[in-house]
Coordinates of all heavy atoms in Angstrom, one line a residue:
M1 N -8.0 40.8 9.3 CA -6.8 40.2 8.8 C -6.9 38.7 9.1 O -6.4 37.9 8.4 CB -5.6 40.8 9.6 CG -4.3 40.8 8.8 SD -4.6 41.4 7.1 CE -3.0 41.3 6.5
K2 N -7.5 38.3 10.2 CA -7.7 36.9 10.6 C -8.5 36.2 9.5 O -8.1 35.1 9.1 CB -8.4 36.8 11.9 CG -7.7 35.8 12.8 CD -8.3 35.9 14.2 CE -7.4 35.3 15.2 NZ -7.8 35.5 16.6
N3 N -9.5 36.9 9.0 CA -10.3 36.3 8.0 C -9.6 36.0 6.7 O -9.7 35.0 6.1 CB -11.6 37.2 7.7 CG -12.7 36.9 8.7 OD1 -12.7 35.8 9.3 ND2 -13.6 37.8 8.8
L4 N -8.7 37.0 6.4 CA -8.0 36.9 5.2 C -7.0 35.7 5.2 O -6.9 34.9 4.3 CB -7.2 38.2 4.9 CG -6.3 38.2 3.7 CD1 -7.2 38.0 2.4 CD2 -5.5 39.5 3.5
T5 N -6.4 35.6 6.4 CA -5.4 34.5 6.6 C -6.2 33.1 6.4 O -5.7 32.2 5.8 CB -4.8 34.6 8.0 OG1 -4.3 35.8 8.1 CG2 -3.7 33.5 8.1
R6 N -7.4 33.1 7.0 CA -8.1 31.9 7.0 C -8.5 31.5 5.5 O -8.5 30.4 5.1 CB -9.4 32.0 7.9 CG -10.1 30.7 8.1 CD -11.1 30.8 9.2 NE -10.6 31.2 10.5 CZ -11.3 31.7 11.5 NH1 -12.5 31.9 11.4 NH2 -10.7 31.9 12.6
T7 N -8.9 32.6 4.8 CA -9.3 32.4 3.4 C -8.1 31.9 2.6 O -8.3 30.9 1.8 CB -9.8 33.7 2.8 OG1 -10.9 34.2 3.6 CG2 -10.3 33.5 1.4
L8 N -7.0 32.5 2.8 CA -5.8 32.1 2.1 C -5.4 30.6 2.4 O -5.1 29.8 1.5 CB -4.6 33.0 2.4 CG -4.7 34.4 1.7 CD1 -3.5 35.2 2.3 CD2 -4.7 34.3 0.2
L9 N -5.6 30.3 3.6 CA -5.2 28.9 4.1 C -6.2 27.9 3.4 O -5.7 26.9 2.9 CB -5.3 28.9 5.6 CG -4.7 27.6 6.2 CD1 -3.2 27.5 5.9 CD2 -4.9 27.6 7.7
A10 N -7.4 28.3 3.5 CA -8.4 27.4 2.9 C -8.2 27.2 1.4 O -8.3 26.1 0.9 CB -9.8 27.9 3.1
T11 N -7.8 28.3 0.7 CA -7.5 28.2 -0.7 C -6.3 27.3 -1.0 O -6.3 26.5 -1.9 CB -7.3 29.6 -1.3 OG1 -8.4 30.5 -0.9 CG2 -7.1 29.6 -2.8
A12 N -5.3 27.5 -0.1 CA -4.1 26.7 -0.3 C -4.4 25.2 -0.1 O -3.9 24.4 -0.8 CB -3.0 27.2 0.7
L13 N -5.2 24.9 0.9 CA -5.5 23.6 1.2 C -6.3 22.9 0.1 O -6.1 21.8 -0.3 CB -6.3 23.5 2.5 CG -5.5 23.5 3.8 CD1 -6.5 23.6 5.0 CD2 -4.6 22.3 3.9
A14 N -7.3 23.7 -0.4 CA -8.1 23.2 -1.5 C -7.2 22.9 -2.7 O -7.5 21.9 -3.4 CB -9.2 24.2 -1.8
A15 N -6.3 23.8 -3.0 CA -5.4 23.6 -4.1 C -4.5 22.3 -4.0 O -4.2 21.6 -4.9 CB -4.5 24.8 -4.4
A16 N -4.1 22.1 -2.7 CA -3.2 21.0 -2.5 C -3.9 19.7 -2.4 O -3.3 18.6 -2.7 CB -2.4 21.2 -1.2
M17 N -5.2 19.7 -2.1 CA -5.9 18.5 -1.9 C -5.9 17.5 -3.0 O -5.6 16.3 -2.8 CB -7.4 18.8 -1.5 CG -8.1 17.7 -0.8 SD -7.5 17.4 0.8 CE -8.4 18.6 1.7
P18 N -6.2 17.9 -4.3 CA -6.2 16.9 -5.3 C -4.9 16.2 -5.5 O -4.8 15.0 -5.7 CB -6.5 17.8 -6.6 CG -7.2 19.0 -6.0 CD -6.6 19.2 -4.7
L19 N -3.8 16.9 -5.4 CA -2.5 16.3 -5.5 C -2.3 15.3 -4.4 O -1.7 14.2 -4.6 CB -1.4 17.4 -5.4 CG -1.2 18.2 -6.7 CD1 -0.1 19.3 -6.5 CD2 -0.7 17.2 -7.8
T20 N -2.7 15.7 -3.2 CA -2.5 14.7 -2.1 C -3.3 13.5 -2.3 O -2.7 12.4 -2.2 CB -3.0 15.4 -0.8 OG1 -2.4 16.7 -0.6 CG2 -2.7 14.6 0.4
L21 N -4.5 13.6 -2.7 CA -5.4 12.4 -3.0 C -4.7 11.6 -4.0 O -4.6 10.4 -3.9 CB -6.8 12.9 -3.4 CG -7.7 13.3 -2.3 CD1 -9.0 13.8 -2.9 CD2 -7.9 12.2 -1.3
H22 N -4.3 12.3 -5.1 CA -3.7 11.6 -6.2 C -2.5 10.7 -5.8 O -2.4 9.6 -6.1 CB -3.2 12.7 -7.2 CG -2.7 12.2 -8.5 ND1 -3.3 12.2 -9.6 CD2 -1.5 11.6 -8.7 CE1 -2.6 11.7 -10.6 NE2 -1.4 11.3 -10.0
A23 N -1.6 11.3 -5.0 CA -0.4 10.6 -4.5 C -0.8 9.5 -3.6 O -0.1 8.4 -3.7 CB 0.5 11.6 -3.9
Q24 N -1.8 9.7 -2.8 CA -2.1 8.6 -1.8 C -2.8 7.4 -2.4 O -2.5 6.3 -2.1 CB -2.9 9.2 -0.7 CG -2.1 10.0 0.3 CD -2.9 10.7 1.4 OE1 -4.1 10.6 1.3 NE2 -2.3 11.2 2.4
T25 N -3.8 7.7 -3.2 CA -4.6 6.6 -3.7 C -4.1 6.0 -5.0 O -4.3 4.9 -5.3 CB -6.0 7.1 -4.0 OG1 -6.0 8.0 -5.0 CG2 -6.6 7.7 -2.7
G26 N -3.4 6.9 -5.8 CA -3.0 6.4 -7.1 C -4.2 6.1 -8.0 O -4.1 5.4 -9.0
Q27 N -5.4 6.6 -7.6 CA -6.6 6.3 -8.4 C -7.3 7.6 -8.8 O -8.5 7.8 -8.5 CB -7.6 5.5 -7.5 CG -7.1 4.1 -7.2 CD -7.1 3.2 -8.4 OE1 -7.9 3.3 -9.2 NE2 -6.1 2.2 -8.4
P28 N -6.6 8.4 -9.5 CA -7.3 9.6 -10.1 C -8.2 9.2 -11.2 O -8.1 8.1 -11.7 CB -6.1 10.5 -10.6 CG -5.1 9.5 -11.0 CD -5.2 8.4 -10.0
A29 N -9.2 10.0 -11.5 CA -10.1 9.6 -12.5 C -9.5 9.9 -13.9 O -9.8 10.9 -14.5 CB -11.4 10.4 -12.4
L30 N -8.6 9.0 -14.3 CA -7.9 9.2 -15.6 C -8.8 8.7 -16.7 O -9.5 7.6 -16.5 CB -6.6 8.5 -15.6 CG -5.5 9.0 -14.7 CD1 -4.3 8.1 -14.7 CD2 -5.1 10.4 -15.2
P31 N -8.8 9.3 -17.9 CA -9.5 8.8 -19.0 C -8.8 7.5 -19.5 O -7.6 7.4 -19.4 CB -9.4 9.9 -20.0 CG -8.2 10.7 -19.7 CD -8.0 10.6 -18.2
M32 N -9.7 6.6 -20.0 CA -9.1 5.4 -20.5 C -8.8 5.6 -22.0 O -9.5 6.2 -22.7 CB -10.1 4.2 -20.4 CG -10.6 3.9 -19.0 SD -9.2 3.4 -17.9 CE -9.1 1.6 -18.4
A33 N -7.6 5.0 -22.5 CA -7.3 5.1 -23.9 C -7.4 3.7 -24.5 O -7.3 2.7 -23.8 CB -5.8 5.7 -24.0
E34 N -7.5 3.7 -25.8 CA -7.5 2.4 -26.5 C -6.1 2.0 -26.8 O -5.2 2.8 -27.0 CB -8.2 2.6 -27.9 CG -9.6 3.3 -27.8 CD -10.7 2.4 -27.4 OE1 -10.6 1.2 -27.7 OE2 -11.6 2.8 -26.7
G35 N -5.9 0.7 -26.7 CA -4.5 0.2 -27.1 C -4.6 -1.2 -27.6 O -5.5 -2.0 -27.3
E36 N -3.5 -1.6 -28.3 CA -3.3 -3.0 -28.7 C -1.9 -3.4 -28.3 O -0.9 -2.7 -28.5 CB -3.4 -3.1 -30.2 CG -3.3 -4.5 -30.7 CD -3.4 -4.6 -32.2 OE1 -4.2 -3.9 -32.9 OE2 -2.6 -5.4 -32.8
V37 N -1.9 -4.5 -27.6 CA -0.6 -5.0 -27.0 C 0.3 -5.5 -28.1 O -0.1 -6.3 -29.0 CB -0.8 -6.1 -26.0 CG1 0.5 -6.6 -25.4 CG2 -1.8 -5.7 -24.9
R38 N 1.5 -4.9 -28.2 CA 2.5 -5.4 -29.2 C 3.5 -6.3 -28.5 O 4.0 -7.2 -29.2 CB 3.2 -4.2 -29.8 CG 2.3 -3.1 -30.3 CD 1.3 -3.6 -31.3 NE 1.9 -3.8 -32.6 CZ 1.2 -4.2 -33.7 NH1 -0.1 -4.3 -33.6 NH2 1.8 -4.4 -34.8
K39 N 3.9 -6.0 -27.3 CA 4.9 -6.8 -26.6 C 4.8 -6.6 -25.1 O 4.6 -5.6 -24.6 CB 6.3 -6.3 -27.1 CG 7.5 -7.2 -26.7 CD 8.8 -6.6 -27.2 CE 10.0 -7.2 -26.5 NZ 11.2 -6.4 -26.6
V40 N 5.0 -7.8 -24.5 CA 4.9 -7.8 -23.0 C 6.3 -8.1 -22.5 O 6.9 -9.2 -22.9 CB 3.9 -8.8 -22.5 CG1 3.9 -8.8 -20.9 CG2 2.5 -8.4 -23.0
D41 N 6.9 -7.3 -21.7 CA 8.3 -7.5 -21.2 C 8.2 -7.6 -19.7 O 8.3 -6.6 -18.9 CB 9.2 -6.4 -21.6 CG 10.6 -6.6 -21.2 OD1 10.9 -7.6 -20.4 OD2 11.5 -5.9 -21.6
L42 N 7.9 -8.8 -19.2 CA 7.7 -9.1 -17.8 C 8.9 -8.7 -16.9 O 8.8 -8.1 -15.9 CB 7.2 -10.5 -17.6 CG 6.4 -10.9 -16.3 CD1 5.2 -10.0 -16.3 CD2 6.0 -12.3 -16.4
D43 N 10.1 -9.1 -17.4 CA 11.3 -9.0 -16.7 C 11.6 -7.5 -16.4 O 12.0 -7.2 -15.3 CB 12.5 -9.5 -17.5 CG 12.5 -11.0 -17.6 OD1 11.8 -11.7 -16.7 OD2 13.1 -11.6 -18.5
N44 N 11.3 -6.6 -17.3 CA 11.6 -5.2 -17.1 C 10.3 -4.4 -16.8 O 10.4 -3.1 -16.7 CB 12.2 -4.6 -18.4 CG 13.6 -5.3 -18.6 OD1 14.4 -5.3 -17.8 ND2 13.7 -5.9 -19.8
K45 N 9.2 -5.1 -16.5 CA 7.9 -4.4 -16.2 C 7.6 -3.3 -17.3 O 7.3 -2.2 -17.0 CB 8.0 -3.7 -14.9 CG 7.7 -4.6 -13.7 CD 7.9 -3.9 -12.4 CE 6.9 -2.9 -12.1 NZ 7.0 -2.3 -10.7
K46 N 7.8 -3.8 -18.6 CA 7.5 -2.9 -19.7 C 6.5 -3.5 -20.6 O 6.4 -4.7 -20.7 CB 8.8 -2.5 -20.4 CG 9.6 -1.5 -19.7 CD 10.9 -1.2 -20.5 CE 11.7 -0.1 -19.7 NZ 13.0 0.1 -20.2
L47 N 5.8 -2.6 -21.3 CA 4.7 -3.0 -22.2 C 4.8 -2.1 -23.4 O 4.8 -0.9 -23.3 CB 3.4 -2.7 -21.4 CG 2.1 -3.0 -22.1 CD1 2.0 -4.5 -22.5 CD2 1.0 -2.6 -21.1
T48 N 4.8 -2.7 -24.6 CA 4.8 -1.9 -25.8 C 3.3 -1.9 -26.3 O 2.7 -3.0 -26.5 CB 5.7 -2.6 -26.9 OG1 7.0 -2.7 -26.4 CG2 5.7 -1.7 -28.2
L49 N 2.8 -0.8 -26.6 CA 1.4 -0.6 -27.0 C 1.3 0.2 -28.2 O 2.0 1.2 -28.4 CB 0.6 0.1 -25.9 CG 0.3 -0.6 -24.6 CD1 -0.5 0.3 -23.7 CD2 -0.4 -1.9 -24.8
R50 N 0.4 -0.2 -29.1 CA 0.0 0.7 -30.2 C -1.3 1.4 -29.6 O -2.3 0.7 -29.3 CB -0.3 0.0 -31.5 CG -0.5 0.9 -32.6 CD -0.7 0.2 -33.9 NE -2.0 -0.6 -33.8 CZ -2.6 -1.0 -34.9 NH1 -2.1 -0.8 -36.1 NH2 -3.7 -1.7 -34.8
H51 N -1.2 2.7 -29.3 CA -2.3 3.3 -28.6 C -3.0 4.4 -29.3 O -2.4 5.1 -30.2 CB -1.8 3.8 -27.2 CG -0.9 4.9 -27.3 ND1 -1.3 6.2 -27.5 CD2 0.5 5.0 -27.1 CE1 -0.3 7.0 -27.4 NE2 0.8 6.3 -27.2
G52 N -4.2 4.7 -29.0 CA -5.0 5.8 -29.5 C -4.6 7.1 -28.7 O -3.7 7.0 -27.9
E53 N -5.3 8.1 -28.9 CA -5.0 9.4 -28.2 C -5.1 9.2 -26.7 O -6.0 8.5 -26.2 CB -6.0 10.4 -28.6 CG -5.7 11.8 -28.0 CD -6.8 12.8 -28.4 OE1 -7.9 12.4 -29.0 OE2 -6.6 14.0 -28.1
I54 N -4.1 9.7 -26.0 CA -4.2 9.7 -24.5 C -4.3 11.2 -24.1 O -3.4 12.0 -24.1 CB -2.9 9.1 -23.9 CG1 -2.6 7.8 -24.5 CG2 -3.0 9.1 -22.4 CD1 -1.3 7.1 -24.0
K55 N -5.6 11.5 -23.7 CA -5.9 12.9 -23.5 C -5.2 13.5 -22.3 O -4.7 14.6 -22.4 CB -7.4 13.0 -23.2 CG -8.3 12.7 -24.4 CD -9.5 13.5 -24.5 CE -10.2 13.4 -25.9 NZ -11.0 12.2 -26.1
N56 N -5.0 12.8 -21.2 CA -4.4 13.4 -20.0 C -2.9 13.6 -20.2 O -2.3 14.4 -19.5 CB -4.7 12.6 -18.8 CG -4.2 11.1 -18.9 OD1 -4.7 10.4 -19.8 ND2 -3.3 10.8 -18.0
L57 N -2.3 12.9 -21.2 CA -0.9 13.1 -21.5 C -0.7 13.9 -22.7 O 0.5 14.2 -23.1 CB -0.2 11.7 -21.7 CG -0.2 10.8 -20.5 CD1 0.4 9.5 -20.8 CD2 0.6 11.5 -19.3
D58 N -1.8 14.4 -23.3 CA -1.7 15.2 -24.5 C -0.9 14.5 -25.6 O 0.0 15.1 -26.2 CB -1.1 16.6 -24.2 CG -1.4 17.6 -25.2 OD1 -2.4 17.4 -26.0 OD2 -0.7 18.6 -25.3
M59 N -1.2 13.2 -25.8 CA -0.4 12.4 -26.7 C -1.2 11.9 -27.8 O -2.3 11.3 -27.6 CB 0.2 11.2 -25.9 CG 1.3 10.5 -26.6 SD 1.8 9.0 -25.7 CE 3.0 9.8 -24.6
P60 N -0.8 12.0 -29.1 CA -1.6 11.4 -30.2 C -1.3 9.9 -30.3 O -0.5 9.4 -29.5 CB -1.0 12.1 -31.4 CG 0.5 12.4 -31.0 CD 0.4 12.7 -29.5
S61 N -2.0 9.3 -31.2 CA -1.8 7.8 -31.3 C -0.4 7.5 -31.8 O 0.1 8.2 -32.6 CB -2.9 7.2 -32.2 OG -2.9 7.9 -33.4
M62 N 0.1 6.4 -31.3 CA 1.5 6.0 -31.8 C 1.7 4.6 -31.2 O 0.9 4.1 -30.4 CB 2.5 7.0 -31.2 CG 2.6 7.0 -29.7 SD 3.9 8.1 -29.1 CE 3.0 9.6 -29.2
T63 N 2.9 4.0 -31.5 CA 3.3 2.8 -30.8 C 4.5 3.2 -30.0 O 5.4 3.9 -30.4 CB 3.8 1.7 -31.9 OG1 2.6 1.4 -32.7 CG2 4.3 0.5 -31.2
M64 N 4.5 2.8 -28.7 CA 5.6 3.1 -27.8 C 5.6 2.2 -26.6 O 4.8 1.4 -26.4 CB 5.3 4.5 -27.3 CG 4.1 4.7 -26.4 SD 3.8 6.3 -25.8 CE 4.9 6.4 -24.5
V65 N 6.7 2.3 -25.9 CA 6.9 1.5 -24.7 C 6.5 2.2 -23.4 O 6.9 3.4 -23.3 CB 8.4 1.1 -24.6 CG1 8.7 0.2 -23.3 CG2 8.9 0.3 -25.8
F66 N 5.8 1.5 -22.6 CA 5.4 2.1 -21.3 C 6.0 1.3 -20.2 O 6.2 0.1 -20.3 CB 3.9 2.0 -21.1 CG 3.1 2.9 -22.0 CD1 2.6 2.5 -23.2 CD2 2.7 4.2 -21.5 CE1 1.9 3.4 -24.0 CE2 1.9 5.0 -22.3 CZ 1.5 4.6 -23.5
Q67 N 6.2 1.9 -19.1 CA 6.4 1.2 -17.8 C 5.1 0.7 -17.3 O 4.1 1.3 -17.7 CB 7.0 2.1 -16.7 CG 8.4 2.6 -17.0 CD 9.5 1.5 -16.8 OE1 10.4 1.4 -17.6 NE2 9.3 0.7 -15.8
V68 N 5.0 -0.3 -16.5 CA 3.8 -0.6 -15.9 C 3.9 -0.4 -14.3 O 5.0 -0.7 -13.8 CB 3.2 -2.0 -16.2 CG1 2.8 -2.1 -17.6 CG2 4.3 -3.1 -15.8
K69 N 2.9 0.0 -13.7 CA 2.9 0.3 -12.3 C 3.2 -1.0 -11.5 O 3.9 -1.0 -10.5 CB 1.6 0.9 -11.9 CG 1.7 1.7 -10.6 CD 0.4 2.5 -10.4 CE 0.4 3.3 -9.1 NZ -0.9 3.9 -8.8
D70 N 2.6 -2.1 -11.9 CA 2.6 -3.3 -11.2 C 2.8 -4.5 -12.2 O 2.0 -4.6 -13.1 CB 1.3 -3.5 -10.4 CG 1.2 -4.7 -9.6 OD1 2.2 -5.5 -9.7 OD2 0.2 -4.9 -8.9
A71 N 3.8 -5.3 -12.0 CA 4.1 -6.4 -12.9 C 3.0 -7.3 -13.0 O 2.8 -8.0 -14.1 CB 5.4 -7.1 -12.5
A72 N 2.2 -7.4 -12.0 CA 1.0 -8.3 -12.0 C 0.0 -8.0 -13.1 O -0.7 -8.8 -13.7 CB 0.3 -8.3 -10.7
M73 N 0.1 -6.7 -13.5 CA -0.8 -6.3 -14.6 C -0.5 -7.0 -15.9 O -1.3 -7.1 -16.8 CB -0.7 -4.7 -14.8 CG -1.2 -3.9 -13.6 SD -0.6 -2.2 -13.7 CE -1.5 -1.6 -15.2
L74 N 0.8 -7.4 -16.1 CA 1.2 -8.0 -17.3 C 0.9 -9.5 -17.4 O 0.9 -10.1 -18.5 CB 2.7 -7.8 -17.5 CG 3.2 -6.4 -17.5 CD1 4.8 -6.4 -17.6 CD2 2.6 -5.7 -18.7
G75 N 0.5 -10.1 -16.3 CA 0.2 -11.5 -16.3 C -1.1 -11.8 -17.1 O -1.2 -13.0 -17.6
K76 N -2.0 -10.9 -17.2 CA -3.2 -11.2 -17.9 C -3.4 -10.7 -19.3 O -4.4 -10.8 -19.9 CB -4.4 -10.6 -17.0 CG -4.2 -9.2 -16.7 CD -5.3 -8.7 -15.7 CE -5.0 -7.2 -15.3 NZ -5.9 -6.7 -14.3
I77 N -2.3 -10.2 -19.9 CA -2.3 -9.8 -21.3 C -1.2 -10.4 -22.1 O -0.2 -10.8 -21.6 CB -2.3 -8.3 -21.4 CG1 -1.0 -7.7 -20.7 CG2 -3.5 -7.6 -20.8 CD1 -0.7 -6.3 -21.0
K78 N -1.4 -10.4 -23.4 CA -0.4 -10.9 -24.3 C -0.5 -10.1 -25.6 O -1.4 -9.4 -25.9 CB -0.7 -12.4 -24.6 CG -2.0 -12.7 -25.2 CD -2.3 -14.2 -25.4 CE -3.5 -14.5 -26.2 NZ -4.7 -13.8 -25.7
A79 N 0.6 -10.3 -26.4 CA 0.7 -9.6 -27.7 C -0.6 -9.9 -28.5 O -1.1 -11.0 -28.6 CB 1.9 -10.0 -28.5
G80 N -1.2 -8.8 -29.1 CA -2.3 -9.0 -29.9 C -3.6 -8.6 -29.2 O -4.6 -8.3 -29.9
D81 N -3.6 -8.6 -27.9 CA -4.8 -8.2 -27.1 C -5.2 -6.8 -27.3 O -4.3 -5.9 -27.4 CB -4.6 -8.5 -25.6 CG -4.6 -9.9 -25.2 OD1 -4.9 -10.8 -26.1 OD2 -4.4 -10.2 -24.0
K82 N -6.5 -6.6 -27.4 CA -7.0 -5.2 -27.5 C -7.4 -4.8 -26.0 O -8.1 -5.6 -25.4 CB -8.3 -5.2 -28.4 CG -8.0 -5.5 -29.8 CD -7.9 -4.3 -30.6 CE -8.2 -4.5 -32.1 NZ -7.4 -5.6 -32.7
I83 N -6.9 -3.7 -25.6 CA -7.2 -3.3 -24.2 C -7.6 -1.8 -24.2 O -7.6 -1.1 -25.2 CB -5.9 -3.4 -23.4 CG1 -4.8 -2.5 -23.9 CG2 -5.4 -4.9 -23.3 CD1 -3.6 -2.4 -23.0
R84 N -8.1 -1.5 -23.0 CA -8.3 -0.1 -22.6 C -7.4 0.1 -21.4 O -7.3 -0.7 -20.6 CB -9.8 0.2 -22.3 CG -10.6 0.3 -23.5 CD -12.1 0.1 -23.2 NE -12.6 1.0 -22.2 CZ -12.9 2.3 -22.4 NH1 -12.7 2.9 -23.6 NH2 -13.3 3.1 -21.4
F85 N -6.8 1.3 -21.4 CA -5.8 1.5 -20.3 C -5.7 3.0 -19.9 O -6.2 3.9 -20.6 CB -4.4 1.0 -20.7 CG -3.8 1.9 -21.8 CD1 -2.8 2.8 -21.5 CD2 -4.2 1.8 -23.1 CE1 -2.3 3.6 -22.5 CE2 -3.6 2.6 -24.1 CZ -2.6 3.5 -23.8
S86 N -5.2 3.2 -18.7 CA -4.9 4.6 -18.3 C -3.4 4.7 -18.1 O -2.8 3.7 -17.7 CB -5.7 5.0 -17.1 OG -5.3 4.1 -16.0
A87 N -2.9 5.9 -18.4 CA -1.4 6.1 -18.2 C -1.2 7.4 -17.7 O -1.9 8.4 -17.9 CB -0.7 5.9 -19.6
E88 N -0.1 7.6 -17.0 CA 0.3 8.9 -16.5 C 1.9 8.9 -16.4 O 2.5 7.9 -16.5 CB -0.3 9.2 -15.2 CG 0.0 8.3 -14.1 CD -0.9 8.6 -12.8 OE1 -0.8 9.7 -12.4 OE2 -1.6 7.7 -12.4
K89 N 2.4 10.1 -16.2 CA 3.8 10.3 -16.2 C 4.2 10.2 -14.7 O 3.8 11.0 -13.9 CB 4.2 11.6 -16.8 CG 5.7 11.6 -17.3 CD 5.9 12.8 -18.1 CE 7.2 12.7 -18.9 NZ 7.5 13.9 -19.7
I90 N 5.0 9.1 -14.3 CA 5.4 9.0 -13.0 C 7.0 9.0 -12.9 O 7.6 8.2 -13.6 CB 4.9 7.6 -12.4 CG1 3.4 7.6 -12.4 CG2 5.4 7.4 -11.0 CD1 2.7 6.3 -11.9
D91 N 7.5 9.9 -12.2 CA 9.0 10.1 -12.1 C 9.6 10.2 -13.5 O 10.6 9.6 -13.8 CB 9.6 8.9 -11.4 CG 9.2 8.9 -9.9 OD1 8.9 9.9 -9.4 OD2 9.2 7.8 -9.3
G92 N 8.9 10.9 -14.4 CA 9.4 11.1 -15.7 C 9.2 10.0 -16.7 O 9.6 10.1 -17.9
A93 N 8.6 8.9 -16.3 CA 8.4 7.8 -17.2 C 6.9 7.6 -17.5 O 6.1 7.6 -16.5 CB 9.0 6.5 -16.6
F94 N 6.5 7.4 -18.7 CA 5.1 7.1 -19.0 C 4.8 5.7 -18.5 O 5.5 4.7 -18.8 CB 4.9 7.2 -20.6 CG 5.0 8.6 -21.1 CD1 6.0 8.9 -22.0 CD2 4.2 9.5 -20.7 CE1 6.2 10.2 -22.5 CE2 4.3 10.8 -21.2 CZ 5.3 11.2 -22.1
T95 N 3.8 5.7 -17.7 CA 3.5 4.5 -16.9 C 2.0 4.1 -17.0 O 1.2 4.9 -16.8 CB 3.8 4.7 -15.4 OG1 5.2 5.1 -15.3 CG2 3.6 3.4 -14.6
V96 N 1.8 2.9 -17.4 CA 0.4 2.3 -17.4 C 0.0 2.0 -16.0 O 0.7 1.3 -15.3 CB 0.3 1.1 -18.3 CG1 -1.1 0.5 -18.2 CG2 0.6 1.4 -19.8
T97 N -1.1 2.6 -15.6 CA -1.6 2.5 -14.2 C -2.8 1.6 -14.1 O -3.1 1.1 -13.0 CB -1.9 3.8 -13.6 OG1 -2.8 4.5 -14.5 CG2 -0.6 4.7 -13.4
S98 N -3.5 1.3 -15.2 CA -4.6 0.3 -15.1 C -4.8 -0.2 -16.5 O -4.6 0.4 -17.5 CB -5.9 0.9 -14.6 OG -6.4 1.8 -15.5
I99 N -5.3 -1.5 -16.6 CA -5.6 -2.1 -17.9 C -6.9 -2.9 -17.7 O -7.1 -3.5 -16.7 CB -4.5 -3.2 -18.2 CG1 -3.1 -2.5 -18.4 CG2 -4.9 -4.0 -19.4 CD1 -2.0 -3.5 -18.6
E100 N -7.7 -2.8 -18.7 CA -8.9 -3.7 -18.8 C -9.1 -4.2 -20.2 O -8.6 -3.5 -21.2 CB -10.1 -2.9 -18.3 CG -10.5 -1.7 -19.1 CD -11.7 -1.0 -18.5 OE1 -11.7 -0.7 -17.3 OE2 -12.7 -0.7 -19.2
A101 N -9.7 -5.3 -20.4 CA -10.0 -5.8 -21.7 C -10.9 -4.9 -22.5 O -11.9 -4.3 -21.9 CB -10.6 -7.2 -21.6
A102 N -10.6 -4.7 -23.8 CA -11.5 -3.8 -24.6 C -12.8 -4.6 -24.8 O -12.8 -5.8 -25.0 CB -10.8 -3.5 -25.9
K103 N -13.9 -3.9 -24.9 CA -15.2 -4.6 -25.1 C -15.4 -4.8 -26.6 O -14.9 -4.1 -27.4 CB -16.3 -3.8 -24.5 CG -16.3 -3.9 -23.0 CD -17.2 -2.8 -22.4 CE -16.8 -2.5 -21.0 NZ -16.3 -1.2 -20.8
Ligands
LIG1 CU1 2.5 7.4 -27.0

């Protein structure tokens, strides 16, 4: 019985681990999506993107508004820029968590 308890505990810990890491680092290995900047709204920390498929959000290509995790991310981009970005749903809002210039 002791072994069973230990196995169950280990399984529970293993299952909880990815979520814990995810919450702590905010750096999960998210796939990058293609995007083109349509509008930068620094005051509201919002970004309008025309984006390609976002696999981790199961979202097809479209134009939509995202929250951004950090307003500083908006300082280096402007409308018309081609970017690659990662996004996830945070507190119910689609949020851009990283941006890099498209090659
Ligand atoms: Cu979308």
Side-chain angles (χ1 to χ4, degrees):
M1 210 50 181
K2 223 170 203 170
N3 274 343
L4 179 62
T5 306
R6 193 168 295 162
T7 304
L8 285 175
L9 192 62
T11 306
L13 279 175
M17 199 70 86
L19 280 177
T20 306
L21 283 176
H22 183 107
Q24 282 177 352
T25 65
Q27 295 289 330
L30 289 174
M32 300 297 281
E34 309 282 327
E36 184 183 320
V37 180
R38 310 304 284 186
K39 191 180 161 197
V40 177
D41 184 349
L42 204 55
D43 291 340
N44 297 306
K45 277 175 70 178
K46 282 181 180 170
L47 179 61
T48 307
L49 292 179
R50 191 175 64 159
H51 69 77
E53 185 184 7
I54 305 177
K55 293 214 166 78
N56 57 301
L57 294 176
D58 199 21
M59 193 187 278
S61 54
M62 66 180 78
T63 298
M64 64 182 280
V65 179
F66 288 90
Q67 292 287 139
V68 292
K69 200 172 180 187
D70 180 356
M73 294 163 66
L74 297 177
K76 52 188 177 185
I77 56 168
K78 60 183 188 311
D81 283 358
K82 297 257 201 313
I83 60 167
R84 282 160 56 79
F85 69 100
S86 61
E88 57 189 306
K89 207 167 189 178
I90 299 177
D91 295 334
F94 291 116
T95 305
V96 172
T97 51
S98 72
I99 296 174
E100 62 184 48
K103 287 163 200 120

